[in-house]
Amino acid sequence: MEPAFGEVNQLGGVFVNGRPLPNAIRLRIVELAQLGIRPCDISRQLRVSHGCVSKILARYNETGSILPGAIGGSKPRVTTPTVVKHIRTYKQRDPGIFAWEIRDRLLADGVCDKYNVPSVSSISRILRNKIGNLSQQSHYDSHKQHHHATAASALQYNHIYSYTNPITAGAKVPTPPGMHSLPSTMAMPRTWPSSHSVTDILGIRSITDQVSDTSPYHSPKVEEWSSLSRNGFQSTQHMINGLDKGSIDQEVKYSQTASGLPTVGSFVAASGMTPYPTAAPVSPYMAYGTAAPTGRRIKSKHPFPQISAVLPHIPTPRDSCSYAKCIEFKDNPFHLT
DNA sequence: ATCGTAACGGTTGAA
DNA sequence: GTTTCAACCGTTACG
């Protein structure tokens, strides 16, 4: 359940425990950093803990994305229907086969790779629970099952998990930014926006602004706006740094000075940066985008790349299967009226 | 003073 | 419909 109210951190900023900062704040952190503002000053100005600033900047530096990681869900199973089907086949052909032999065969036949091959114990469990006494199965049945399993797995898993792709097989496998050699099965999972770049994020945001309500906190779920993101609201003329100015203006309201505490704004003017409003109502939770590609520990050659850069998102298996939804704040505790 | 990060309490969503 | 579990979150405190 969403809390009725957010909490206030030591800096006077409002946050919701367990929930990501809104994209507007995340974006601001990156923008300020690009302008040469020190993280400690960013922390003070935005009233976000320095640990959070550090984390967001580090992630941006490594992934090019300002977005939070994907929350919730489960890791994709390794015992996909396809794998079970192969195990069944092996067992049928050689009823005395050992689990470890099956494991080796799965690897040898390319059904799995070293990242997603089931453990011996998992195979044993499959043999015990899912396959049982194969000798009582007719060949016709098994063939039919085989066929269905293949189709089903192709539909349900292949385009999402792409287990045999060594790039995506491990969630922590680094993937260079800008890589375009993704197999088609990974290029565009079912409900995922094509990019986690700021451009796409705000492109999406610009659309959601149009379709959403007056509450800056409510955002459509990805199921809704992932399709929007594909319908050509890429960059437009009123983009600033790849961002929709309107959306920025709206999200800028997040600046945390509602408590009446003095803002830390002197250095803002001195730095010549965009003069963000510094005394706007607190409204921390606006639309969230989709998850950042967490776990991709990319050592960027270009620290703090321009935020307008479009960096294709290379989804991890976990990304693509379970993080399709953005965060929705229906009852935003921070929405001041 | 600044920054990186582990611990913590929390949320989320697939299985 | 509920529970479990492992992912993530931001804050805090420590070094």
Side-chain angles (χ1 to χ4, degrees):
Chain A
M1 281 293 288
E2 291 295 333
F5 299 99
E7 301 170 48
V8 178
N9 63 25
Q10 293 175 337
L11 300 173
V14 179
F15 71 100
V16 176
N17 197 6
R19 306 301 299 131
L21 286 173
N23 288 338
I25 297 300
R26 311 177 78 88
L27 176 62
R28 187 80 53 75
I29 289 169
V30 172
E31 284 180 328
L32 294 179
Q34 288 189 335
L35 289 166
I37 310 297
R38 294 182 306 173
C40 58
D41 291 327
I42 295 171
S43 171
R44 281 192 285 262
Q45 185 192 7
L46 300 181
R47 305 193 183 192
V48 171
S49 67
H50 92 269
C52 182
V53 170
S54 176
K55 185 177 177 179
I56 288 172
L57 291 177
R59 171 175 293 173
Y60 179 70
N61 190 21
E62 294 181 357
T63 70
S65 172
I66 65 164
L67 293 174
I71 301 172
S74 302
K75 287 197 295 186
R77 292 180 301 153
V78 296
T79 55
T80 63
T82 300
V83 171
V84 173
K85 175 199 69 178
H86 278 87
I87 293 172
R88 178 183 292 113
T89 302
Y90 299 150
K91 190 68 176 178
Q92 283 175 331
R93 290 177 183 172
D94 180 5
I97 193 171
F98 292 118
W100 63 267
E101 292 176 306
I102 291 175
R103 190 174 191 272
D104 288 349
R105 287 212 56 181
L106 288 170
L107 287 169
D109 292 352
V111 178
C112 303
D113 60 30
K114 63 181 179 180
Y115 297 104
N116 61 37
V117 66
S119 65
V120 171
S121 60
S122 292
I123 294 170
S124 296
R125 187 172 56 248
I126 291 166
L127 292 172
R128 185 172 61 247
N129 297 339
K130 294 189 177 182
I131 296 179
N133 190 349
L134 289 169
S135 64
Q136 297 183 1
Q137 268 190 321
S138 72
H139 179 73
Y140 171 76
D141 284 346
S142 66
H143 180 270
K144 199 168 60 173
Q145 200 166 14
H146 168 117
H147 185 77
H148 288 172
T150 303
S153 65
L155 285 172
Q156 297 173 9
Y157 292 90
N158 289 355
H159 68 299
I160 298 175
Y161 297 147
S162 187
Y163 277 133
T164 55
N165 179 1
I167 293 170
T168 59
K172 302 297 183 184
V173 175
T175 305
M179 187 173 79
H180 295 291
S181 59
L182 289 173
S184 58
T185 53
M186 288 304 297
M188 184 41 57
R190 180 174 48 137
T191 59
W192 279 76
S194 61
S195 169
H196 284 82
S197 70
V198 172
T199 300
D200 278 8
I201 295 159
L202 287 133
I204 290 169
R205 175 63 190 167
S206 67
I207 295 300
T208 59
D209 284 345
Q210 298 170 15
V211 300
S212 69
D213 51 71
T214 55
S215 168
Y217 288 74
H218 180 273
S219 72
K221 295 187 176 182
V222 159
E223 283 84 347
E224 300 162 7
W225 53 286
S226 65
S227 58
L228 291 176
S229 72
R230 284 190 195 294
N231 290 331
F233 51 95
Q234 303 297 323
S235 26
T236 58
Q237 291 180 347
H238 56 285
M239 290 292 205
I240 294 178
N241 229 1
L243 305 178
D244 181 276
K245 178 58 177 165
S247 67
I248 293 174
D249 287 344
Q250 189 172 3
E251 298 198 357
V252 144
K253 295 173 183 175
Y254 185 91
S255 294
Q256 302 197 359
T257 54
S259 63
L261 295 173
T263 59
V264 183
S266 58
F267 69 88
V268 172
S271 68
M273 61 175 288
T274 303
Y276 291 110
T278 55
V282 175
S283 56
Y285 284 68
M286 18 254 329
Y288 285 106
T290 53
T294 58
R296 292 192 301 126
R297 293 304 181 197
I298 299 167
K299 289 301 176 185
S300 172
K301 296 176 182 176
H302 308 288
F304 301 111
Q306 289 300 306
I307 58 177
S308 59
V310 175
L311 297 176
H313 171 230
I314 292 99
T316 63
R318 182 170 164 82
D319 278 341
S320 56
C321 75
S322 61
Y323 295 164
K325 292 185 179 178
C326 68
I327 297 139
E328 180 179 32
F329 279 78
K330 293 177 180 174
D331 302 311
N332 171 25
F334 303 98
H335 182 59
L336 302 182
T337 56

